Amino acid sequence: MTDTIEFASYIVERLKQTGVKQVFGVPGDYNLEFLDYIEKDPVLNWVGNANELNAAYAADGYARIKGGLAVLVTTFGVGELSALCGVAGSLSERLPVLHIVGAPSTRMQRSRALLHHTLNTPSSFTAFTDMSKQLSCSMALLNQVSPDTPNGYVDAFDETLRQCLTQCRPGYVELPMDAVRAVVSTRGLNVPLPDSHAAPSLEALRQLTPPGTPSPINKLYKDFGFFEPKPDEVTEHVVKIITRLYEGAQRPIVLVDACAARFGMGPIIRHLVEACGIRFFTTPMGKGILDEHHPLYGGCYAGRNSLQPVRDEVEASDFVLYVGSLKSDFNSGSFSVHIDDAHAVKLHSYTTQVGYAEFPTTDIRHVLPLLVGALEGVKSERPRVLGESLEQKMKQGRVATLVNRPEGTDIVHKWLWPRVGSWFHDNDIIVTETGTSSFGLLPVPLPSHASYNAQVLWGSIGWSVGATLGAALAAEEEPDKRRTVLFVGDGSLQLTVQEIGTMVRRGLHPYLFVLNNDGYEIERQIHGATAQYNNIQMYDHQLLLPFLAGKNPATPFESHVVRTQDELHALLLDDKFNVPDRIRLIEVVMPRGDAPEPLLLQARLTAEANSGH
């Protein structure tokens, strides 16, 4: 490689170094020249989405399955604003999405030219970046970098890329048109980029403070005139405290939440629970991170919105290692989690809470690996009893099971979710829309290597369709063949249905289960059971694939409609149906007003919370 390179080529090389192969977005005149570099690259693939919002959702799904960076490219103003709802979801749920925005040239911006896509106000060239500032962990505003500054473009871009990877949050890059062909040094390409699953440097921990958190610990020590300990000394101290708490516990458990997946902690947690014989549970956002058929698995815990045996065991524990917690309302049964803070240890990125004390500059990626050896070395008098797995309890009829069919022939939620749970393959990628789908699968044990994906915290309606595109593309990059399975309601589908056309164009073969219950059922359960605002225009779902595939589809397709339990049961048993050689849409007709039990309970909890009682 030469000593210099065009800046757009530098960006392309950096993206490939992170493992990115798919780039999501929509072309616009301010990003077209940059897209030329993506299109001519033999590794990167331009996906080309139906709109920018869908592209952001797809990038979100891609990042979840890849366990790393996703890239979104939009154009200035109209394009970037369309994507912001999806970017906000990635911030909320901790996903590293790099948002690159093609912008007018620095000369045009300095002259305040009245260009298309501007607001016709004095802030036309700053308003959009100000909007993204609240949704980004770092911003590379290249229009503010002098082209005469040595490596200015490179340094600004690399810093935002590093922060995006380290913090698992979105980063923002404004790429003026005249920066695309600027000549920069290639030296930066020799500097390794961080891995979001690897522990960040201790110096990075010292400098980083996530948005909205108090000042880091060094200010505390400075204010009181004490010698400031090094971050690694604080980490070792925290591990000793946690180990002492664990030594005295009689009923320890591990509770796994969303950020454990974001930072790649699943294998380490599994090693920990197996080495120590500790029972483990997941939250709704942590579902699928560990093997749900493991004998140490106790179930999915969300406070009052949990199966009673799960709730009893979790709330009777006297030591809770809470890994990567995000205690949102839907993730905690409207904040009904009943775990005594006095014996809870919460591992986060950049901080650890032990009881009522907090230790900034300690990171889950540093603390958890050290805990494995420390807790494994504890000699305990506790009997190493595995207890009953959730799967065993289901077989005994102590929780909901497939065995007892409900009366009638209608496909109802009580029957549907255990049935599709038994249909899943071992390594399926499962995507569920916020609503009946995500709540329906919560109590159902998934196959050992399945990936469960739901946007529990941000909960943007329509997210799952775009996310399925991103997830299926990520699956195509893996050596093992994996099916991608979507469950989406008829109402949610209407917001992002265009992206099914992109799936066809890219030759993908997901299973698209559309739950047709005549409207927004989750909203009806929360409020407005008969209100007109929860109704939708009914589509003919059997025409969607022929319409979106067009006259020359890139992949074969087929559609099914099932109205009875026997029809769906027969379809799921069909050998040809189980070969993922085409895109399939399965319309599942369900009675209006029926909902899974976890959703019914969450609706009551939400109503109580909203009423203030």
Side-chain angles (χ1 to χ4, degrees):
M1 184 176 290
T2 61
D3 292 337
T4 60
I5 191 174
E6 288 181 317
F7 183 51
S9 294
Y10 182 93
I11 293 175
V12 166
E13 293 303 315
R14 268 314 211 189
L15 297 183
K16 291 192 294 185
Q17 287 178 354
T18 68
V20 164
K21 293 184 180 178
Q22 314 292 335
V23 179
F24 302 91
V26 177
D29 53 354
Y30 293 124
N31 66 27
L32 293 177
E33 288 191 30
F34 176 60
L35 297 188
D36 286 340
Y37 290 78
I38 294 175
E39 184 156 316
K40 69 183 180 183
D41 188 85
V43 176
L44 295 183
N45 297 305
W46 173 249
V47 176
N49 297 90
N51 61 54
E52 292 87 357
L53 175 61
N54 291 355
Y57 289 155
D60 184 297
Y62 183 81
R64 289 172 190 257
I65 301 305
K66 285 281 287 189
L69 186 72
V71 179
L72 167 68
V73 179
T74 64
T75 196
F76 176 79
V78 292
E80 60 181 309
L81 295 191
S82 294
L84 287 192
C85 178
V87 173
S90 296
L91 175 70
S92 177
E93 303 212 354
R94 300 297 295 267
L95 292 154
V97 173
L98 189 68
H99 187 188
I100 301 175
V101 178
S105 70
T106 54
R107 180 178 63 84
M108 286 294 187
Q109 293 194 43
R110 284 196 299 269
S111 67
R112 296 187 178 181
L114 187 57
L115 300 176
H116 61 287
H117 300 337
T118 61
L119 297 172
N120 191 18
T121 68
S123 63
S124 285
F125 294 111
T126 59
F128 307 130
T129 53
D130 287 344
M131 294 176 191
S132 285
K133 185 176 182 180
Q134 298 298 319
L135 307 179
S136 309
C137 70
S138 179
M139 304 186 81
L141 305 181
L142 303 182
N143 64 312
Q144 299 177 12
V145 176
S146 171
D148 299 326
T149 303
N151 295 320
Y153 287 156
V154 166
D155 292 344
F157 174 80
D158 276 357
E159 176 61 18
T160 290
L161 180 56
R162 276 193 294 267
Q163 295 296 344
C164 182
L165 291 169
T166 302
Q167 298 191 41
C168 283
R169 289 187 170 106
Y172 178 97
V173 178
E174 181 180 302
L175 180 61
M177 293 182 68
D178 51 339
V180 170
R181 299 188 186 278
V183 177
V184 300
S185 170
T186 59
R187 284 179 296 178
L189 296 176
N190 298 320
V191 179
L193 290 168
D195 183 337
S196 59
H197 293 177
S201 70
L202 296 175
E203 185 59 33
L205 288 180
R206 187 187 300 272
Q207 296 174 356
L208 285 174
T209 303
T213 60
S215 298
I217 195 170
N218 58 343
K219 183 178 185 301
L220 176 67
Y221 283 93
K222 181 179 179 182
D223 289 346
F224 286 90
F226 296 138
F227 172 75
E228 180 190 350
K230 296 178 181 179
D232 54 343
E233 294 173 343
V234 177
T235 299
E236 292 171 0
H237 177 64
V238 166
V239 170
K240 290 178 181 178
I241 295 174
I242 297 172
T243 303
R244 285 201 297 268
L245 287 176
Y246 174 71
E247 285 177 329
Q250 295 300 310
R251 298 179 303 279
I253 66 165
V254 172
L255 183 58
V256 184
D257 211 337
C259 286
R262 304 297 182 259
F263 295 109
M265 295 292 103
I268 298 176
I269 299 171
R270 176 160 185 161
H271 182 97
L272 172 67
V273 297
E274 289 181 340
C276 300
I278 307 177
R279 292 276 280 170
F280 68 90
F281 300 79
T282 64
T283 66
M285 293 183 72
K287 185 172 176 63
I289 294 176
L290 297 184
D291 181 0
E292 297 190 0
H293 289 265
H294 197 286
L296 287 169
Y297 177 60
C300 186
Y301 177 71
R304 288 168 59 191
N305 198 3
S306 312
L307 297 172
Q308 194 59 47
V310 173
R311 186 179 174 188
D312 290 344
E313 189 171 354
V314 170
E315 296 178 359
S317 62
D318 58 356
F319 173 92
V320 180
L321 186 63
Y322 200 166
V323 186
S325 67
L326 276 174
K327 203 182 294 183
S328 69
D329 50 356
F330 279 14
N331 202 38
S332 65
S334 287
F335 313 109
S336 60
V337 166
H338 187 66
I339 296 174
D340 190 344
D341 284 337
H343 56 245
V345 175
K346 300 174 185 177
L347 304 184
H348 302 279
S349 56
Y350 316 119
T351 190
T352 303
Q353 293 172 263
V354 183
Y356 301 106
E358 186 168 355
F359 298 87
T361 74
T362 59
D363 184 280
I364 185 175
R365 290 162 287 189
H366 282 287
V367 173
L368 192 58
L370 293 177
L371 273 180
V372 174
L375 300 191
E376 189 176 359
V378 172
K379 293 182 179 180
S380 173
E381 301 300 324
R382 294 189 302 267
R384 293 170 65 92
V385 178
L386 296 182
E388 294 178 302
S389 68
L390 181 61
E391 186 180 17
Q392 291 171 321
K393 293 174 182 177
M394 292 182 73
K395 288 179 178 178
Q396 295 169 7
R398 293 173 55 192
V399 297
T401 177
L402 173 66
V403 175
N404 299 318
R405 273 200 179 194
E407 294 181 2
T409 62
D410 287 344
I411 301 172
V412 292
H413 288 279
K414 182 178 180 181
W415 177 84
L416 173 66
W417 299 111
R419 178 63 190 92
V420 296
S422 66
W423 170 76
F424 291 141
H425 289 186
D426 182 63
N427 62 350
D428 279 351
I429 296 170
I430 302 161
V431 184
T432 64
E433 181 67 55
T434 299
T436 55
S437 302
S438 59
F439 283 97
L441 277 176
L442 284 182
V444 178
L446 300 179
S448 297
H449 301 99
S451 171
Y452 177 80
N453 303 273
Q455 200 185 55
V456 177
L457 176 52
W458 185 241
S460 182
I461 183 173
W463 162 86
S464 66
V465 180
T468 296
L469 168 67
L473 285 170
E476 290 285 301
E477 299 174 14
E478 299 181 359
D480 297 329
K481 194 71 174 178
R482 302 181 71 186
R483 303 189 310 179
T484 303
V485 183
L486 166 68
F487 294 95
V488 61
D490 51 353
S492 299
L493 176 68
Q494 294 192 7
L495 276 79
T496 47
V497 66
Q498 316 97 310
E499 225 52 52
I500 296 177
T502 310
M503 298 176 197
V504 174
R505 181 166 59 86
R506 290 303 305 267
L508 301 173
H509 302 150
Y511 291 81
L512 311 175
F513 287 85
V514 179
L515 308 188
N516 180 354
N517 51 18
D518 192 25
Y520 297 125
E521 192 57 50
I522 184 173
E523 311 293 8
R524 288 173 177 149
Q525 294 297 333
I526 294 174
H527 184 79
T530 60
Q532 290 294 316
Y533 50 71
N534 285 328
N535 296 340
I536 61 172
Q537 170 61 34
M538 183 57 64
Y539 288 178
D540 186 338
H541 295 97
Q542 296 307 297
L543 297 180
L544 287 180
L545 284 183
F547 170 70
L548 293 169
K551 295 182 179 180
N552 299 299
T555 185
F557 61 86
E558 66 182 42
S559 295
H560 303 269
V561 58
V562 290
R563 294 181 172 83
T564 68
Q565 296 171 28
D566 286 339
E567 288 175 353
L568 179 55
H569 183 67
L571 181 63
L572 297 181
L573 290 177
D574 184 85
D575 290 338
K576 291 183 179 179
F577 177 80
N578 281 280
V579 178
D581 58 353
R582 62 197 63 218
I583 185 170
R584 291 177 169 88
L585 186 147
I586 307 94
E587 180 182 1
V588 183
V589 179
M590 306 184 71
R592 178 169 168 168
D594 181 53
E597 186 60 35
L599 175 55
L600 297 175
L601 180 53
Q602 181 60 55
R604 292 195 292 270
L605 294 172
T606 299
E608 290 175 12
N610 290 341
S611 68
H613 297 310

